[in-house]
Amino acid sequence: MKSVLPTAAVAVSLLGAQAAVAADLPVKAYQAPVVAAFDPWDIAFGAGIMNDYVFRGITQSNHKPSVTAYFEPRYNVTKDLQFYVGSSFESISFTNRAAAEVDIYGGVRPTFGALALDFGVWGYLYPGGQCIDYVPGGGVVCPLGANALLNGNAMKKDVSFYEAYAKANYTFNDYFTLGGTYFYSPNFLNFGFDSSYASITGKLTAPSGWLPNGIGSYLSGEFGRQWLGTTDAFYLNTRLPDYNTWNVGIGFTYKVFTLDLRYSDTNLAKTDCNAITSAFTASSTDPASGLYKSNWCGASFIAKLSADLTLMNNIK
């Protein structure tokens, strides 16, 4: 009978050696998938220069160049929900001698797939204004010694106001976006009446690579309507007309820079434009009629060069 003991002994010995070797090897620990850290905070900021600052079809800078800048902290609750506050600045030229517009705003931007919404409140502040009265010496509302214009126009010292707004944009594909806006103010430009503005917007973005060296381009436009009302006693209880405004333009982008070239116009007559703006440049070919005309609401060509950055994408 052949003995199996030597074979068994060898097998046990080999198993023991393998166990010893295995015990000496380092154990590979379980590694969880790497997840990128989510930083909900971001800041958008930028600046620009333009040959004319036009707001809803009406120049705010007397058809002269204007500079602008903004700063907007953002908090992203999720990738589809963002809260934000911000401030912006534009140089202006108003009849009451205000030289700056300072905007304070804030709101929320929810996104549902291709639909992006934006709800908030926007305050327009115009510091440094002076009361311009109808007659020298402050005959209506302004303090004694207030200035009067030769064309008879007048403007309150403070024309600051705020608006609540709602915006919607639907992105059909990489090239086409259609949107709408609605703004409401309980006292537009401190005229003494509530006012609304609504518009339809569209943007067509050219395919990447259509222009060389990483330059992008787009076409965009807007058609809007501004509803006004009857002013308070300072402006002689004047009924200001509602009006339509539109703009269309082409833009070119390169990295953080955008050059926007735009045509803007309204359907306002020059006499109605004067009633709305109280333009210090208004004139009349027939002073006896008492009707003065302003070109502040006419056709305008706007060229704007701007830079827009975000802390998360451009700085870090």
Side-chain angles (χ1 to χ4, degrees):
M1 180 175 177
K2 188 175 180 180
S3 174
V4 298
L5 290 179
T7 304
V10 171
V12 171
S13 176
L14 289 174
L15 289 173
Q18 290 176 352
V21 171
D24 291 338
L25 292 175
V27 178
K28 185 176 181 180
Y30 170 75
Q31 294 182 348
V34 177
V35 179
F38 175 70
D39 185 356
W41 291 100
D42 199 4
I43 298 175
F45 55 97
I49 183 170
M50 47 199 156
N51 69 310
D52 193 358
Y53 172 29
V54 175
F55 177 73
R56 296 177 189 170
I58 299 175
T59 181
Q60 309 290 286
S61 59
N62 186 25
H63 292 306
K64 298 295 194 299
S66 173
V67 294
T68 182
Y70 71 94
F71 179 79
E72 184 184 292
R74 301 167 173 176
Y75 182 78
N76 299 293
V77 180
T78 68
K79 66 180 182 64
D80 296 319
L81 181 62
Q82 180 185 91
F83 290 92
Y84 64 93
V85 295
S87 178
S88 65
F89 163 91
E90 293 83 19
S91 60
I92 63 171
S93 181
F94 275 10
T95 293
N96 67 355
R97 298 189 176 91
E101 175 185 315
V102 180
D103 302 330
I104 306 294
Y105 60 92
V108 57
R109 297 181 180 124
T111 302
F112 303 93
L115 178 64
L117 304 177
D118 189 350
F119 305 99
V121 177
W122 197 293
Y124 306 80
L125 309 177
Y126 303 97
Q130 301 179 27
C131 193
I132 307 298
D133 216 335
Y134 292 95
V135 296
V140 180
V141 175
C142 300
L144 186 64
N147 297 314
L149 298 175
L150 293 178
N151 62 19
N153 281 338
M155 195 171 194
K156 294 179 180 179
K157 175 181 179 179
D158 184 12
V159 294
S160 302
F161 69 103
Y162 72 90
E163 291 180 314
Y165 59 86
K167 304 178 185 179
N169 280 286
Y170 190 87
T171 302
F172 290 88
N173 49 48
D174 292 339
Y175 311 113
F176 181 60
T177 301
L178 188 66
T181 70
Y182 178 76
F183 292 78
Y184 171 79
S185 173
N187 190 4
F188 183 70
L189 277 170
N190 200 13
F191 275 127
F193 56 72
D194 63 341
S195 174
S196 296
Y197 175 78
S199 72
I200 298 174
T201 64
K203 184 175 183 180
L204 184 63
T205 303
S208 60
W210 182 67
L211 292 175
N213 302 320
I215 298 175
S217 62
Y218 62 84
L219 290 172
S220 66
E222 177 184 23
F223 180 86
R225 182 167 180 83
Q226 179 77 62
W227 288 273
L228 300 177
T230 301
T231 68
D232 57 23
F234 179 87
Y235 294 107
L236 306 180
N237 303 111
T238 302
R239 177 66 174 91
L240 298 182
D242 306 333
Y243 70 93
N244 299 327
T245 179
W246 54 90
N247 66 77
V248 62
I250 183 172
F252 301 94
T253 61
Y254 178 71
K255 295 184 178 180
V256 302
F257 299 100
T258 300
L259 174 62
D260 189 275
L261 307 174
R262 190 158 302 274
Y263 170 84
S264 173
D265 206 350
T266 74
N267 66 339
L268 282 167
K270 291 187 176 182
T271 51
D272 290 334
C273 181
N274 180 55
I276 293 173
T277 63
S278 297
F280 61 84
T281 59
S283 60
S284 176
T285 56
D286 182 18
S289 68
L291 296 177
Y292 282 76
K293 301 178 181 180
S294 171
N295 69 346
W296 283 12
C297 312
S300 301
F301 172 76
I302 308 145
K304 180 180 179 181
L305 178 63
S306 59
D308 302 278
L309 304 91
T310 60
L311 187 65
M312 185 176 296
N313 294 331
N314 299 108
I315 305 299
K316 291 183 177 180

